[in-house]
Amino acid sequence: MMVPLIDQSYFNVPDSAKSLRRVDPRESASHNDDPFHAIPLRDIMPRMIRNADASDLPDIVDIYNAAIPGRLATADTEPVSLDSRRAWFHDRDFARYPIWVFESFDHVRPILGWLSFKPFYGRPAYAATAEVSIYVDPSAQRGGVATQLMEHAIIQAPALKLTTYLAFVFSHNGPSLELCRKFGFEQWGHLPRIAALDGEDRDLLILGRRL
């Protein structure tokens, strides 16, 4: 079972007692026979960060593929298939290296972005170090989704038993560099002209933060 990771600051509940309401005796209790029933979750929490589940994978892949044409956020140059990402999704320890989605119930497309953790180098000595990746739906970019996901990652680091975050960012990816530096990431490495994108050589920066 996956427990939602919900940031309380995104709730819009002026009075928690209002999350339950009395059903008027004259009103049909069509939902159930209990005279008390909860207001729908989407009315209480219009936005939330939670663990991804398998049903989110199509949205996760769509958001990733939407980033490919911009040549900023990934070294993939062609769209990836849903099947090709199933192993990436399932073959992980969600207790240490989860995938989170940012869900908005007041948006046409509820999944606005996602964050994933990837073990660094796969050796035991690096177990407390993780690579962080964030992707945001084009319709929600520059709207604070990436900031809230990164903020949540910083807060949750102790629970995940992680002490170091890494981000691998192209040097021409201004928005991602700005996000990382906003959260105290520093440049720890520079790999010049390591990627070829549309015939142009690009540098890769390694950014890191101790937590």
Side-chain angles (χ1 to χ4, degrees):
M1 179 180 70
M2 293 186 183
V3 179
L5 300 170
I6 303 168
D7 192 322
Q8 300 287 337
S9 67
Y10 308 136
F11 289 15
N12 185 22
V13 187
D15 182 356
S16 60
K18 293 180 182 178
S19 62
L20 294 176
R21 66 181 179 85
R22 179 75 181 184
V23 178
D24 190 294
R26 296 166 295 180
E27 180 182 348
S28 171
S30 57
H31 294 291
N32 51 56
D33 294 329
D34 192 334
F36 293 91
H37 60 260
I39 292 174
L41 181 64
R42 67 186 57 203
D43 293 340
I44 301 171
M45 296 175 290
R47 293 190 168 196
M48 63 189 297
I49 295 171
R50 61 170 175 79
N51 279 330
D53 58 46
S55 68
D56 298 315
L57 189 54
D59 285 327
I60 289 171
V61 170
D62 285 348
I63 291 171
Y64 180 81
N65 282 336
I68 293 175
R71 300 295 194 258
L72 286 177
T74 173
D76 277 315
T77 57
E78 298 292 337
V80 301
S81 68
L82 183 61
D83 285 342
S84 73
R85 303 303 282 174
R86 294 190 194 281
W88 165 83
F89 185 90
H90 292 289
D91 296 346
R92 66 176 58 236
D93 178 1
F94 267 89
R96 296 292 308 281
Y97 309 104
I99 300 171
W100 297 331
V101 293
F102 185 101
E103 188 167 28
S104 174
F105 292 119
D106 58 3
H107 199 273
V108 175
R109 179 176 190 159
I111 304 302
L112 299 185
W114 56 270
L115 179 150
S116 69
F117 294 91
K118 177 183 177 181
F120 175 69
Y121 206 64
R123 299 291 189 271
Y126 299 118
T129 298
E131 178 185 347
V132 179
S133 298
I134 297 176
Y135 290 87
V136 177
D137 187 88
S139 68
Q141 289 176 2
R142 312 303 288 184
V145 172
T147 294
Q148 292 175 45
L149 284 166
M150 184 67 85
E151 182 179 49
H152 195 66
I154 300 297
I155 293 170
Q156 291 295 321
L160 298 173
K161 299 179 181 178
L162 296 173
T163 60
T164 303
Y165 285 164
L166 297 175
F168 293 77
V169 183
F170 285 131
S171 63
H172 64 291
N173 186 348
S176 291
L177 292 174
E178 179 184 346
L179 174 70
C180 289
R181 288 166 178 157
K182 175 180 177 180
F183 283 94
F185 283 69
E186 299 174 339
Q187 183 174 317
W188 288 355
H190 181 184
L191 305 177
R193 304 178 64 187
I194 195 174
L197 294 172
D198 297 333
E200 187 170 355
D201 291 337
R202 294 294 191 177
D203 297 359
L204 183 69
L205 304 181
I206 302 173
L207 305 179
R209 172 177 165 169
R210 286 284 297 175
L211 302 160

